[in-house]
Amino acid sequence: MKKSILPLILIVASVVMIVVNIVSSDDFDRGFWMRSISSILLIFAMILTIRSQQQK
């Protein structure tokens, strides 16, 4: 049970980080896009982790 909750917590945290990044950013420079892309990749990795755990 604990292993399936951790990826969901990371997904929620990444979504919150993306929203905070959009709200608090004054300009959309390279740093903004790198932070956003890293959060999106983290969400994608956690979705793949959840899928692989469900297949077992």
Side-chain angles (χ1 to χ4, degrees):
M1 182 80 173
K2 187 176 182 180
K3 287 185 179 181
S4 63
I5 293 176
L6 187 59
L8 290 175
I9 292 171
L10 287 174
I11 289 172
V12 170
S14 293
V15 170
V16 169
M17 286 174 28
I18 290 172
V19 171
V20 169
N21 190 20
I22 291 171
V23 171
S24 67
S25 183
D26 293 332
D27 54 340
F28 299 107
D29 57 351
R30 185 181 298 179
F32 168 80
W33 291 110
M34 290 298 153
R35 288 188 301 267
S36 298
I37 289 172
S38 67
S39 294
I40 291 169
L41 289 175
L42 181 62
I43 291 170
F44 183 67
M46 290 302 108
I47 290 172
L48 291 178
T49 301
I50 291 171
R51 282 182 138 185
S52 69
Q53 287 179 354
Q54 287 178 350
Q55 289 178 355
K56 286 185 179 179

